[in-house]
Amino acid sequence: MIADKVRAIWCRELQRDDISVDDDFFALGGQSVIMAKIQGAFIEELGVEVPVDQMFLNPTVASISSYIESMGAVTP
């Protein structure tokens, strides 16, 4: 499931283990450097390139996962 993988990436990059699917990236302390790391992880681990504007428009695990799924991404 993509949401589980996205959540794992967020937990690692935000150095937290208590992130829910509805937590807001920016409220968790997310900023541009962490966002860039997450974008890189999406490419490397999920095989999808998520534009920066979509990261801002989808600031939760649930919403960015839905966006990634809408792109037709298939996770290994």
Side-chain angles (χ1 to χ4, degrees), residues 2-76:
I2 289 179
D4 292 338
K5 294 182 181 205
V6 168
R7 184 181 172 282
I9 291 168
W10 279 37
C11 286
R12 182 182 68 229
E13 298 303 335
L14 289 163
Q15 299 180 349
R16 301 177 64 133
D17 59 1
D18 59 345
I19 296 173
S20 78
V21 294
D22 295 319
D23 285 336
D24 184 281
F25 173 80
F26 300 103
L28 294 169
Q31 36 84 355
S32 61
V33 172
I34 296 171
M35 185 179 288
K37 289 180 179 179
I38 289 172
Q39 277 187 297
F42 286 165
I43 293 169
E44 188 172 310
E45 298 174 37
L46 302 179
V48 295
E49 188 169 347
V50 178
V52 171
D53 65 329
Q54 291 301 321
M55 299 284 286
F56 279 98
L57 292 170
N58 297 288
T60 68
V61 168
S63 64
I64 200 68
S65 296
S66 292
Y67 173 77
I68 292 169
E69 288 174 348
S70 76
M71 297 170 60
V74 177
T75 58

